[in-house]
Amino acid sequence: MAKSSGLGWTTFSIDNAAGTPVDIRNDTTDLQFATPRAVWDVTGIDKSANERLLLLADATVTANTVFNPTGAHTVFSTIPSTSVLRTVSIGVGGKSLAMEMLGTDYPLQRSNSGELTASVPFSLADGTVPTWS
């Protein structure tokens, strides 16, 4: 199996409020995503090490973008005024992950040197376990 860098992403799209996927790779400067599982500590007093059970799966995505009024902004600008699920699709190295998520904020930041950026968080919304294909 070949190792791969984070260069050359094949897909990164997020649905707009109408449910149409928008490719925002060009406006995205960096991306964080996680698919953690909750754990329950069920260690009995007879144990000398932790004993845990896996619980619910979750997922988060944070897209850091530059302001583009005809690109990523068309997706994110409706987050404060709509409550719609958005399909977030990530593809890299021949593998893909698609999740139904809710955007929870659209915080724009203007630095003192002039950059206008956003760091937009998404949370898993539909109860489906995130699965890479």
Side-chain angles (χ1 to χ4, degrees):
M1 175 180 272
K3 295 179 181 179
S4 181
S5 73
L7 303 175
W9 284 67
T10 54
T11 60
F12 181 53
S13 65
I14 299 177
D15 287 357
N16 62 19
T20 303
V22 178
D23 182 351
I24 61 169
R25 288 176 295 171
N26 188 54
D27 297 338
T28 303
T29 58
D30 58 284
L31 177 68
Q32 298 84 41
F33 54 97
T35 53
R37 295 283 304 265
V39 293
W40 180 21
D41 187 333
V42 294
T43 308
I45 60 173
D46 62 333
K47 299 290 190 289
S48 297
N50 286 320
E51 182 180 11
R52 295 182 177 100
L53 296 175
L54 284 174
L55 299 174
L56 295 174
D58 200 1
T60 59
V61 171
T62 301
N64 297 304
T65 64
V66 297
F67 184 79
N68 179 350
T70 62
H73 179 72
T74 65
V75 174
F76 302 143
S77 64
T78 56
I79 287 174
S81 60
T82 62
S83 298
V84 297
L85 295 181
R86 298 166 190 253
T87 303
V88 176
S89 299
I90 300 167
V92 64
K95 304 297 179 186
S96 62
L97 178 64
M99 304 169 285
E100 293 300 312
M101 305 191 92
L102 286 172
T104 58
D105 196 6
Y106 181 37
L108 289 163
Q109 302 93 26
R110 194 263 188 202
S111 72
N112 61 356
S113 58
E115 296 96 344
L116 184 58
T117 61
S119 182
V120 185
F122 287 83
S123 295
L124 189 65
D126 71 344
T128 301
V129 175
T131 306
W132 284 91
S133 60

